[in-house]
Amino acid sequence: MSVRSVVVGVDHKQPELPRRAAGLVQSLGGSLVELVCVWVDESAVTSSGGFTVSVDPDIAVTGGAYGADPLDGVGRSMTDVGLPWSCVRAAGDPARELARVADEVGAVMIVVGSRRGGLRSWTSHLVSGTVAGRLVHDQRRPVVVLPPGAPSPDLS
């Protein structure tokens, strides 16, 4: 049997999302699944040469990363999930980048968190829609949206 991939959108405001996605996959009987956790830097673009460049000149690039690393905690939280996993960094539009990575790895589904509350989220939703909404309309694979704070299935 071959290992299938599930792409998980990583958001620094929902750091528990990859672990919750692992619990969901396991509760559905998925043991031959690799989670590919993708963090997309919306404040950066990838140049034609493959370099990630910040569109905000006030963001300092240090050692190839922007400030605090949003993937730092993923390793600690995923150590005992019982599934193989990896992390990918991307830049630009989150929906487009999640779809691109899903295509690259042949993902069977994409898991994202629901949109954040607040004025910034609301105005962003009005202008460009939610990441989940855009994925649902543009994907040929299932998109699962996990609400914030939903209990995680037991990973034991």
Side-chain angles (χ1 to χ4, degrees), residues 78-104:
M78 298 291 283
T79 56
D80 63 345
V81 297
L83 293 173
W85 59 273
S86 61
C87 290
V88 174
R89 293 178 196 282
D93 176 60
R96 185 175 301 128
E97 290 302 304
L98 288 169
R100 181 187 61 76
V101 172
D103 286 340
E104 285 179 5

Side-chain angles (χ1 to χ4, degrees), residues 1 17 20 23 40 42-43 45 50 52 81 83 88 93 100 116 124 131-132 135 137 143-144 155:
M1 287 195 226
L17 188 65
R20 291 175 46 220
V40 181
E42 295 178 74
S43 69
V45 294
T52 300
V81 297
L83 293 173
V88 174
D93 176 60
R100 181 187 61 76
R116 303 181 287 267
S124 175
V131 171
L135 283 169
H137 291 291
V143 176
V144 176
L155 292 172

Side-chain angles (χ1 to χ4, degrees), residues 28-109:
L28 296 173
S31 59
L32 295 173
V33 174
E34 173 193 25
L35 296 178
V36 179
C37 303
V38 181
W39 176 71
V40 181
D41 184 349
E42 295 178 74
S43 69
V45 294
T46 302
S47 71
S48 58
F51 297 101
T52 300
V53 180
S54 174
V55 295
D56 183 347
D58 294 331
I59 297 176
V61 178
T62 310
Y66 296 102
D69 186 350
L71 297 179
D72 271 348
V74 174
R76 288 187 301 277
S77 70
M78 298 291 283
T79 56
D80 63 345
V81 297
L83 293 173
W85 59 273
S86 61
C87 290
V88 174
R89 293 178 196 282
D93 176 60
R96 185 175 301 128
E97 290 302 304
L98 288 169
R100 181 187 61 76
V101 172
D103 286 340
E104 285 179 5
V105 300
V108 296
M109 79 171 81

